[in-house]
Amino acid sequence: MKKAFILGITGQDGSYLAELLLGRGYHVHGLVRRASMFNRARIEHLRSSDPERLTLHYGELSDLTSFRRLLSRVQPDELYHLAGQSHVGLSFEIPEATCQENGLAALHLLEIVRDLQHPMRVYFASSSEIFGATSSFPQCETTPLDPINPYGCAKAFATQIARVYRKAHGVFVVNGITYNHESPRRGENFVTRKITLAAARLRAGAKEPLRLGNLDAVRDWGYAPEYVEGIWQSLQAEAAGDYVFATGQLCSVREFAQAAFAALDLDIGFAGSGVDEVGRRLDNGETVLRIDPVYYRPVEATLLVGDASRARTILRWAPRTVGPEVARVMALADWEKVRGETGS
Ligand code: F7E
């Protein structure tokens, strides 16, 4: 039986990946932080359905000696590094912690893997944010790095150091350069989930308008369960390399919101501009969306849109759910959730 180790197993991608690996007969190990509050909601169903093949270990990647000991005891065939501070906006507030968790931690991990007797394949969760202010569209694996926020800088460092370890030390390490990928398991402080949850609450009768930042921001939004398929495939390939995982299509925050509201039969129109822009229901004129500059970022990425040709050719990976359809899937899931909670 193949063994996989997931760092970040309690997150959106970690939970979908654990499901996929269990479905393929793996024994899955995950590292979880010991905290005063349980943060395992996304994998609770797996803990009860597959207790023999899912093993959770308490620990921290930053506790290097114990992590090294754990890895040499488990001896996984595949190691997926998906952990870290993943909020770009927050990275401006806590840049040092972000760089520690998303940059230096990857180097620590590679150093450990390099020394271990047992060879393992490593996946590193890179990000489209490594391209930040690029003027190349769409971006691919060879696009020069040009990050513009602490999060992107940390991911750029880790991506590059992984390339160094691949070339200099022969470590089988893959960089998955993933563009935004969302799902009903997305954290509520990311814009997509914030929108779909607000749409569901509005449908259930909530009156408080949704407050957002930059509605003109555009992203290449895909569907997380499809991205973990590519992540897994990337470690099955003959050789280690870098892969862009993206849809290749752009959608603005405004369009995403419109699609989410429309999925719940709430038609909204936009009026005004800048901080005075509002979203109103077309049927009753109610204001359901306002701008709050607190959500603006000091700098915004330019047009991050990915070319996934390499993943398509080598891994036979292709996204199926794109932008507005992702919004629809998420809005419907949140509606089910809110309906259950409120009895609507
Ligand atoms: O923002 C704008 C915001 O926080 C998307 C992470 O997975 O993808 C994600 O990072 C856009 C930005 O995701 C709000 O200014 C407007 O332009 O959902 P987000 P992100 O920053 O793109 C990349 C690829 C990663 O690697 C990251 O880990 O939406 N926006 N109004 C807002 N964003 C938030 N969060 N909240 C708002 O109210």
Side-chain angles (χ1 to χ4, degrees), residues 269-288:
F270 289 87
S273 62
V275 288
D276 296 323
E277 185 168 354
V278 290
R280 290 205 186 91
R281 279 180 75 156
L282 295 178
D283 54 355
N284 62 10
E286 193 185 334
T287 298
V288 294

Side-chain angles (χ1 to χ4, degrees), residues 221 250-251 255-256 259-260 322-329:
W221 271 303
L250 285 169
C251 168
E255 286 162 341
F256 192 97
V322 175
E325 177 58 14
V326 177
R328 202 182 69 83
V329 171

